[in-house]
């Protein structure tokens, strides 16, 4: 028999359900562009909250991720897709292992 979920676990479960539902709605209304815009809004909101709580390192972290993504897109456009493929493979592995988010 499993124990009942704590309030923190229920909150996390509720947030994950909300994220999946909102992502689904974004896809239904605008396709993959809607999905991207949804995750950008959620990320921006989380960055704002982190900064408010004194975790300012989130900004350089996000900047680094954006620069890495741009570099991978540029290299792929130049005909070298290795960095892009590695980045996508790594992202998939991390999300499968650590994220209930889709």
């Amino acid at each position: 028999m499993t124990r009942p979920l704590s309030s923190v676990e229920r909150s996390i479960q509720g947030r994950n359900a909300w994220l999946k539902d909102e992502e689904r709605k974004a896809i239904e209304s605008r396709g993959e562009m809607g999905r991207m815009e949804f995750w950008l809004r959620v990320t921006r909101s989380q960055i704002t909250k982190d900064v408010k709580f004194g975790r300012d390192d989130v900004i350089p972290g996000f900047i680094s991720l954006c620069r890495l993504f741009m570099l991978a897109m540029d290299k792929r456009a130049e005909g070298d897709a290795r960095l892009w493929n590695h980045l996508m493979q790594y992202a998939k592995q991390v999300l499968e292992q650590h994220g209930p988010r889709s």
Side-chain angles (χ1 to χ4, degrees), residues 5-56:
L5 296 176
S6 70
S7 63
V8 171
E9 290 167 328
R10 282 193 310 273
S11 176
I12 291 168
Q13 200 173 53
R15 176 165 167 78
N16 288 337
W18 178 84
L19 286 168
K20 287 180 181 180
D21 188 49
E22 291 299 312
E23 180 184 36
R24 180 189 52 77
K25 290 177 190 175
I27 294 166
E28 288 173 359
S29 68
R30 299 237 12 235
E32 287 298 306
M33 288 298 289
R35 174 187 267 177
M36 176 193 66
E37 291 165 356
F38 166 73
W39 284 109
L40 285 172
R41 282 192 308 275
V42 169
T43 302
R44 183 171 185 215
S45 174
Q46 187 62 47
I47 288 170
T48 301
K49 289 174 186 174
D50 277 22
V51 168
K52 180 180 174 183
F53 290 113
R55 296 185 289 264
D56 297 331

Side-chain angles (χ1 to χ4, degrees), residues 1 4 29 39 53 78-79 91-92 101:
M1 188 164 149
S29 68
W39 284 109
F53 290 113
E78 293 169 1
K92 182 179 177 185
R101 299 174 185 169

